[in-house]
């Protein structure tokens, strides 16, 4: 295809309507028809990236192969498309302004007054087109964060207006995602908020080409007609997006509504092919018809907001479908785990995952949970900080190193079994001081982890500052905590497991970032299988007692 086509997804009426899922579902349908599609997210906040944001503010921070800390929507894009994203797929206002200010300091604007239009908008247009210019994609979908009418998203909307005009009619279109609320007192759906939202968009010079309407009830033909007339779109371009049992149903729902057909028609592309969703639908079938159920405790300190652990929860869905089991995830706040509560909270589980995180709040509860899993042969997976808790627990309770800790929690600890890398000790700025992105890891043959991956060398994504302290390696190994994955470049330990335990693995990296519908992550698949084996063994033991 000669030139790349651009699709812009804007939101109106309310935030959190699911622009990311609609964008990912559309991209999935286009991909299933043989087009090469990618998605980028423009975020209107002034943080340079979400790396320093509290998970309660913005959900989890998602990390790409090239080490970019990005919005969690990029996780959806990768899970749906099974294609890696990069730094270019997430742009924030902070990054845009930083770049423009640096250019101004270097004198690149030749003494001109630097303004939002054209300098900021030009920078935005440039970022939007980066992915389209390398020839890798037929279609670039750009999701614009926030809601139309917000002050902070105005420069993005203006950049889209200019680009749409520059690219011409068949090369760009705007999908506006909006809410059609149901008023139970009146017993009807209301179109007025959508009309106002589209009007706001038009005041900025942009006509929506397609309306995707989030709704709790079916849209009647009358309502579709009304929306089409008042919002200046064709009736076939009024697309219903009704609440779905799972986000993975949305591509099929959009296919039924004909979203991909309307898009291809507007972009003057052929819609002769039929989307091939066989693999997707096989996954859905297994996901919706499990043969068994396992209970896994997710032990963390941001459990009130599920988006804080989005990738982990989705990885359980992929691994559950692969094992044909339903993974019932129980959220357990680590601050509420102590000697008197632990039995109640954990004894009925089939597996324990100790989640990643930063800071010292709630870590003693995590350590107690690790101990319980270790002593009771409960399948255990520790991710990042969770792996470090595994090392600390073992050092304290098996090696009897009193007060063993990470220097992140206790700078004065006598036994820093987890410590800052030498190279990091001089750095004072928090942003960008971590080991980020994809790193190599060599696995020990014959280990659990080697069986999990079935290979000697893996690449996994990292996001952490503190490391396993190699000074304690010999002691830990002699006592039974094996280091079965090592980074060949630095010699740092990436994976620990216990010798005499059915399934106990801690990894310094984040496997959840690489799990997709098409390729569930082997570590989660193996962990869920171990939990299922544990559950079956328990049931059999109970039956034998009867």
């Amino acid at each position: 295809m000669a030139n790349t086509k651009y699709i812009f997804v804007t939101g109106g009426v309310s935030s959190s309507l699911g622009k990311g899922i609609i964008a990912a579902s559309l991209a999935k349908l286009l991909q299933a028809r043989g087009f090469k599609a990618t998605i980028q997210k423009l975020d209107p906040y002034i943080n340079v990236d979400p790396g320093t944001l509290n998970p309660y503010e913005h959900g989890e921070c998602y990390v790409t192969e090239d080490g970019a800390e990005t919005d969690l929507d990029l996780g959806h894009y990768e899970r749906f498309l099974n294609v890696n994203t990069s730094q270019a797929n997430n742009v924030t206002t902070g990054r845009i302004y930083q770049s423009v200010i640096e250019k101004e300091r270097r004198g690149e604007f030749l003494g001109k007054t630097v303004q939002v239009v054209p300098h900021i908008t030009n920078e935005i247009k440039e970022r939007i087109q980066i992915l389209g210019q390398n020839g890798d994609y037929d279609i670039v979908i750009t999701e614009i964060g926030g809601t139309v009418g917000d002050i902070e998203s105005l420069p993005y909307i203006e950049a889209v207006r200019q680009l749409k005009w520059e690219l011409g009619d068949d090369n760009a279109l705007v999908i506006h995602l909006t809410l059609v609320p149901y008023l139970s007192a009146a017993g009807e759906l209301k179109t007025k908020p959508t009309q106002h939202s589209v009007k706001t968009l038009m005041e900025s010079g942009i006509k929506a080409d397609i309306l995707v309407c989030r709704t709790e009830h079916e849209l009647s033909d009358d309502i579709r007609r009304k929306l089409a007339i008042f919002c200046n779109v064709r009736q076939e371009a009024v697309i219903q997006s009704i609440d779905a049992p799972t986000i993975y149903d949305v591509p099929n729902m959009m296919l039924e509504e004909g979203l991909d057909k309307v898009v291809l028609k507007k972009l003057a592309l052929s819609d002769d092919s039929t989307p091939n969703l066989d693999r997707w639908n096989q996954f859905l079938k297994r996901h919706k018809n499990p043969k068994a159920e396992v209970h896994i405790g997710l032990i963390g300190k941001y459990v009130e907001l599920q988006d804080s652990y989005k990738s982990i929860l989705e990885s359980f869905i992929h691994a559950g479908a692969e094992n044909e089991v339903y993974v019932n995830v129980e959220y357990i706040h680590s601050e509420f785990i102590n000697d008197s509560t632990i039995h109640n909270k954990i004894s009925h589980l089939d597996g324990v995952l100790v989640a990643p995180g930063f800071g010292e709040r709630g870590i003693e509860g995590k350590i107690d949970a690790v101990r319980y899993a270790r002593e009771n042969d409960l399948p255990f997976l520790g991710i990042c900080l969770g792996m470090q808790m595994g090392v600390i627990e073992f050092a304290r309770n098996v090696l009897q190193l009193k007060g063993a800790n990470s220097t992140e929690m206790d700078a004065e600890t006598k036994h820093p079994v987890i410590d800052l890398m030498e190279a990091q000790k001089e750095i004072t700025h928090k942003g960008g001081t971590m080991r980020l992105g994809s790193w190599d890891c060599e696995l020990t043959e014959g280990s659990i982890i080697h069986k999990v991956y079935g290979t000697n060398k893996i690449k996994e994504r990292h996001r952490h500052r503190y490391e396993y302290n190699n000074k304690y390696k010999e002691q830990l190994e002699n006592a039974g905590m094996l280091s079965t994955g090592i980074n060949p470049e630095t010699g740092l330990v990436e994976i620990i497991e216990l010798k005499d335990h059915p399934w106990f693995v801690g990894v310094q990296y984040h496997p959840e970032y690489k799990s997709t519908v098409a390729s569930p992550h082997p570590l989660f698949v193996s962990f869920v299988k171990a939990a299922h084996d544990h559950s079956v063994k328990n049931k059999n033991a109970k039956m034998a007692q009867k």
Side-chain angles (χ1 to χ4, degrees):
M1 205 165 100
N3 60 335
T4 304
K5 310 273 186 174
Y6 291 87
I7 298 170
F8 301 102
V9 182
T10 59
V13 183
S14 160
S15 58
S16 303
L17 292 180
K19 288 193 297 289
I21 301 296
I22 292 296
S25 299
L26 173 58
K28 182 77 222 166
L29 294 179
L30 295 169
Q31 187 192 53
R33 283 179 179 271
F35 293 101
K36 294 200 290 287
T38 187
I39 319 176
Q40 65 179 174
K41 170 88 186 271
L42 305 184
D43 266 317
Y45 52 72
I46 295 172
N47 304 60
V48 173
D49 60 43
T52 54
L53 284 175
N54 183 322
Y56 285 136
E57 286 277 322
H58 206 70
E60 78 172 2
C61 172
Y62 185 80
V63 177
T64 58
E65 282 287 290
D66 62 352
E69 293 182 285
T70 66
D71 183 76
L72 64 78
D73 274 334
L74 267 72
H76 290 310
Y77 307 162
E78 289 201 10
R79 287 189 280 274
F80 275 54
L81 298 179
N82 202 32
V83 172
N84 286 338
T85 54
S86 70
Q87 184 70 71
N89 293 75
N90 193 197
V91 179
T92 65
T93 296
R95 203 173 284 283
I96 296 280
Y97 272 86
Q98 191 180 42
S99 172
V100 170
I101 290 165
E102 281 168 2
K103 286 178 184 173
E104 184 271 332
R105 294 287 84 187
R106 290 196 298 269
E108 284 184 31
F109 299 122
L110 307 174
K112 285 246 187 302
T113 307
V114 179
Q115 294 174 291
V116 173
V117 182
H119 301 96
I120 296 293
T121 48
N122 282 350
E123 184 79 21
I124 293 169
K125 288 192 299 188
E126 223 170 89
R127 298 296 179 109
I128 288 171
Q129 292 176 96
I130 282 174
L131 290 164
Q133 283 160 349
N134 60 16
D136 290 346
Y137 302 106
D138 305 322
I139 299 163
V140 175
I141 301 176
T142 303
E143 177 197 340
I144 295 175
T147 311
V148 168
D150 294 350
I151 286 176
E152 53 260 40
S153 55
L154 283 174
Y156 292 104
I157 298 294
E158 171 57 20
V160 169
R161 184 195 67 75
Q162 290 178 23
L163 255 183
K164 222 185 153 199
W165 180 78
E166 288 164 18
L167 292 164
D169 281 351
D170 292 344
N171 296 317
L173 66 83
V174 171
I175 297 175
H176 190 53
L177 178 65
T178 166
L179 178 69
V180 179
Y182 179 77
L183 291 189
S184 48
E188 58 183 355
L189 290 161
K190 288 296 182 188
T191 63
K192 195 61 80 181
T194 296
Q195 293 176 45
H196 280 303
S197 182
V198 170
K199 189 177 164 201
T200 306
L201 199 55
M202 288 179 103
E203 283 167 1
S204 305
I206 294 178
K207 175 189 171 303
D209 298 288
I210 298 171
L211 283 185
V212 175
C213 304
R214 286 286 284 116
T215 171
E216 293 172 27
H217 298 268
E218 296 279 337
L219 297 183
S220 65
D221 283 348
D222 280 353
I223 285 186
R224 289 181 194 243
R225 225 181 347 265
K226 189 175 175 184
L227 282 166
I229 292 168
F230 284 114
C231 299
N232 214 8
V233 298
R234 299 183 70 87
Q235 196 171 327
E236 78 239 32
V238 178
I239 304 288
Q240 165 184 292
S241 172
I242 201 158
D243 291 358
T246 140
I247 57 170
Y248 299 109
D249 285 313
V250 179
N252 282 316
M253 289 161 68
M254 291 302 104
L255 179 66
E256 236 169 83
E257 284 286 306
L259 175 61
D260 54 329
K261 282 197 154 181
V262 180
V263 163
L264 293 172
K265 192 169 158 188
K266 288 214 171 277
L267 294 175
L269 294 170
S270 155
D271 69 350
D272 296 344
S273 57
T274 313
N276 176 0
L277 289 169
D278 293 352
R279 190 147 178 208
W280 186 269
N281 289 328
Q282 280 165 8
F283 154 76
L284 262 181
K285 192 177 168 190
R286 284 199 307 270
H287 171 50
K288 292 188 167 187
N289 301 288
K291 293 176 178 166
E293 182 176 356
V294 295
H295 291 260
I296 289 178
L298 191 155
I299 307 205
K301 58 179 181 179
Y302 307 116
V303 292
E304 296 88 345
L305 182 70
Q306 293 187 10
D307 273 2
S308 310
Y309 302 114
K310 195 70 192 158
S311 294
I312 289 176
L313 298 177
E314 299 307 316
S315 300
F316 275 134
I317 289 174
H318 309 153
E322 190 72 8
N323 282 290
E324 296 189 273
V325 301
Y326 171 66
V327 181
N328 187 336
V329 178
E330 291 186 27
Y331 304 94
I332 301 169
H333 202 303
S334 56
E335 278 190 290
F336 304 136
I337 294 177
N338 53 47
D339 290 346
S340 57
T341 62
I342 192 153
H343 187 78
N344 271 355
K345 288 188 181 294
I346 295 183
S347 60
H348 62 287
L349 297 172
D350 303 312
V352 164
L353 182 143
V354 175
F358 290 92
E360 60 188 313
R361 187 169 66 88
I363 72 145
E364 292 303 326
K366 288 185 173 183
I367 290 169
D368 289 344
V370 176
R371 180 173 192 167
Y372 189 94
R374 177 176 62 78
E375 292 179 345
N376 293 281
D377 280 354
L378 195 58
F380 166 84
L381 175 58
I383 295 179
C384 199
L385 183 72
M387 172 263 205
Q388 297 178 357
M389 296 297 107
V391 176
I392 292 168
E393 188 280 324
F394 196 83
R396 284 184 189 178
N397 298 319
V398 179
L399 293 180
Q400 299 297 317
L401 299 176
K402 204 167 162 12
N405 214 328
S406 162
T407 48
E408 179 184 7
M409 322 304 169
D410 175 6
E412 305 302 314
T413 175
K414 270 198 200 136
H415 298 291
V417 288
I418 305 292
D419 199 5
L420 210 51
M421 298 177 281
E422 286 305 315
Q424 302 281 36
K425 287 188 176 169
E426 307 307 312
I427 298 174
T428 50
H429 270 297
K430 282 273 191 259
T433 61
M434 289 191 274
R435 187 141 76 97
L436 282 164
S438 197
W439 290 69
D440 287 331
C441 180
E442 286 173 353
L443 309 181
T444 308
E445 290 205 22
S447 58
I448 294 178
I449 204 80
H450 188 263
K451 288 192 195 89
V452 164
Y453 283 95
T455 180
N456 295 332
K457 200 170 187 183
I458 57 169
K459 275 178 105 69
E460 289 282 1
R461 299 181 197 175
H462 290 250
R463 181 177 183 249
H464 63 98
R465 203 173 271 115
Y466 291 79
E467 299 279 1
Y468 177 109
N469 188 343
N470 277 341
K471 289 175 188 159
Y472 291 88
K473 189 174 164 197
E474 200 177 322
Q475 262 176 289
L476 288 161
E477 292 224 298
N478 289 342
M481 177 167 275
L482 308 177
S483 318
T484 53
I486 308 281
N487 174 260
E489 221 174 292
T490 57
L492 292 166
V493 172
E494 307 266 289
I495 303 165
I496 52 115
E497 55 187 71
L498 287 185
K499 204 161 57 179
D500 305 316
H501 191 287
W503 207 98
F504 187 106
V505 177
V507 294
Q508 183 58 81
Y509 50 82
H510 289 262
E512 70 273 23
Y513 292 148
K514 286 180 79 163
S515 188
T516 70
V517 168
S519 51
H521 197 287
L523 196 54
F524 277 90
V525 173
S526 178
F527 176 50
V528 169
K529 185 184 179 306
H532 181 234
D533 291 348
H534 181 271
S535 157
V536 170
K537 193 174 144 196
N538 261 6
K539 276 183 194 134
N540 291 343
K542 278 177 190 161
M543 295 287 280
Q545 280 170 3
K546 281 180 185 173

